[in-house]
Amino acid sequence: MSAEPSVPDLRRRLDVVMLRDRRRLGRRLDGTRKVRDPAKRAHAVGRIAADVARAEARVAARLASVPTITYPDLPVSARRDDIAAAVRDHQVVVVAGETGSGKTTQLPKILLELGRGVVGQIGHTQPRRIAARAVADRVSEELGVEMGDVVGYQVRFTDHSSERTLVKVMTDGILLAEITDD
């Protein structure tokens, strides 16, 4: 018989699950403090441990779904190491470049290469619905993945994304709506 994980052990394991699972499971762990009956508390902690294991498996599956990333010969691609270092070291990064330099299509790929999008989601905004779909099509094509899986898009009345989506292209209005729930 294996020993049940302790609440502190489970709390440490939350550091590597998706952000939405981290908050939800953290609140459930906090709630176990209120349970006085040791048997009921052990049962609750055991159920949370199973949910943490599922959350860890979800992250492992998302990590495994990151495709091989290649870059076309574009100005942004040539500076990807500098951009990646800036994103790693700073909370806010502004990238300026000429039209056609690859900002729109290459930055999400640089972020994926950094491991972003695995425990959260890379949100990519476009001002118009047609632009959001076109950008998602282009990025998914460059990554060699099917639309709606690793790369998806959401505009008003249309959602071609899933729980597996790592890069989500959306209009500004969709982002604002998602922020209210985040």
Side-chain angles (χ1 to χ4, degrees), residues 16-79:
V16 295
V17 300
M18 291 185 68
L19 299 174
R20 67 170 189 235
D21 291 333
R22 191 177 303 169
R23 287 189 293 273
R24 179 179 55 84
L25 294 169
R27 284 192 305 268
R28 286 179 58 198
L29 283 172
D30 291 342
T32 62
R33 283 187 258 157
K34 298 175 187 171
V35 180
R36 297 292 175 219
D37 181 2
K40 288 182 180 179
R41 180 183 166 128
H43 179 70
V45 169
R47 289 179 54 194
I48 295 169
D51 289 343
V52 168
R54 280 191 287 279
E56 289 170 331
R58 194 170 17 260
V59 168
R62 287 174 68 86
L63 187 60
S65 73
V66 175
T68 302
I69 299 171
T70 59
Y71 296 93
D73 187 26
L74 292 168
V76 167
S77 301
R79 302 292 307 266

Side-chain angles (χ1 to χ4, degrees), residues 68-164:
T68 302
I69 299 171
T70 59
Y71 296 93
D73 187 26
L74 292 168
V76 167
S77 301
R79 302 292 307 266
R80 76 175 184 260
D81 292 335
D82 298 332
I83 294 168
V87 168
R88 227 183 352 260
D89 298 340
H90 302 285
Q91 187 174 8
V92 176
V93 176
V94 176
V95 178
E98 297 293 323
T99 301
S101 64
K103 300 179 302 293
T104 299
T105 56
Q106 303 314 301
L107 287 175
K109 292 164 45 177
I110 293 169
L111 295 175
L112 270 178
E113 200 168 47
L114 283 171
R116 307 291 170 97
V118 174
V119 297
Q121 197 171 59
I122 298 168
H124 188 330
T125 62
Q126 289 295 306
R128 302 280 182 263
R129 288 184 270 179
I130 293 173
R133 181 185 172 126
V135 168
D137 278 336
R138 179 64 183 262
V139 173
S140 63
E141 180 183 313
E142 286 186 16
L143 289 173
V145 297
E146 189 174 320
M147 170 65 72
D149 195 32
V150 172
V151 179
Y153 74 95
Q154 183 178 356
V155 297
R156 189 172 20 167
F157 309 124
T158 305
D159 186 359
H160 283 281
S161 64
S162 68
E163 188 173 298
R164 298 177 309 277

